[in-house]
Amino acid sequence: PPAEAAPALGLDALRRLDSGRAQSAVLQELLHQLEPFCAERAIVVFREGQVAGWAGAGFAVGDPVRGWRGSLDASPMLSRVASGTPVLAPASVDPVVSSWLAAGPRALAVPMSLRGKIVGALIAVAGEGTFAPETVQLLTYVTGLMLETLQVRPTVPTAALLDPEIIEPPPVVAPPE
């Protein structure tokens, strides 16, 4: 069956991301906000040629992501991501990724960067319902910007995310007769 249409991404999702005051809180909220747009999702980090799971959501049992380990060189998908290219492919094309995920579903891996350096990836898996790769990429990008500015954003929510103030024109008063 065709994938369901993706729900709209709203300001509330961005406000929730914006409310995190620590990097870990923002990343956990990203995993939560991605729920309508994919099935399983995970954040992995790259260090010294290795990839390690940080956290995940949407798995049938618990969070297996923290136990994920592998060589970046052994992963065609993640080595491309580490060089700055998002990848969308069946998990089965990658021995590292397929050891973590079921072999069948498509997985999107999106680079995550801090201070101009790619430090990891967001992995989103297609499931039975909605799979919206563009929205996953958009939320990953916005989250990166939020992490870059976390220490300099003094108020929550950020002013651009507030509800607009409605100003109506003054009522027209008919001139006296």
Side-chain angles (χ1 to χ4, degrees):
E4 298 172 19
L9 175 64
L11 280 177
D12 190 54
L14 297 180
R15 288 177 183 139
R16 290 179 183 273
L17 284 168
D18 187 55
S19 70
R21 302 318 301 156
Q23 182 175 333
S24 60
V26 174
L27 292 172
Q28 287 290 346
E29 189 60 36
L30 170 63
L31 291 172
H32 177 72
Q33 291 303 319
L34 287 170
E35 184 174 359
F37 308 107
C38 60
E40 296 93 354
R41 52 243 178 247
I43 295 171
V44 297
V45 294
F46 304 146
R47 262 190 221 115
E48 300 171 1
Q50 298 295 306
V51 58
W54 181 77
F59 292 90
V61 178
D63 180 359
V65 176
R66 292 183 189 276
W68 292 1
R69 301 277 181 274
S71 168
L72 209 44
D73 289 338
S75 174
M77 287 178 71
L78 296 177
S79 62
R80 292 292 298 143
V81 171
S83 70
T85 303
V87 175
L88 177 62
S92 61
V93 304
D94 188 300
V96 173
V97 174
S98 65
S99 73
W100 302 333
L101 303 170
R106 289 183 305 151
L108 172 68
V110 182
M112 297 187 79
S113 59
L114 281 174
R115 292 177 282 292
K117 181 181 177 200
I118 296 168
V119 295
L122 182 285
I123 300 172
V125 179
E128 296 294 321
T130 300
F131 184 52
E134 285 187 16
T135 304
V136 171
Q137 285 184 265
L138 175 68
L139 279 170
T140 303
Y141 173 73
V142 168
T143 298
L145 293 177
M146 288 182 174
L147 292 175
E148 292 286 352
T149 61
L150 189 62
Q151 300 307 315
V152 295
R153 284 184 283 125
T155 60
V156 173
T158 299
L161 298 177
L162 294 171
D163 286 328
E165 180 180 331
I166 307 297
I167 299 176
E168 299 290 340
V172 176
V173 178
E177 293 182 24

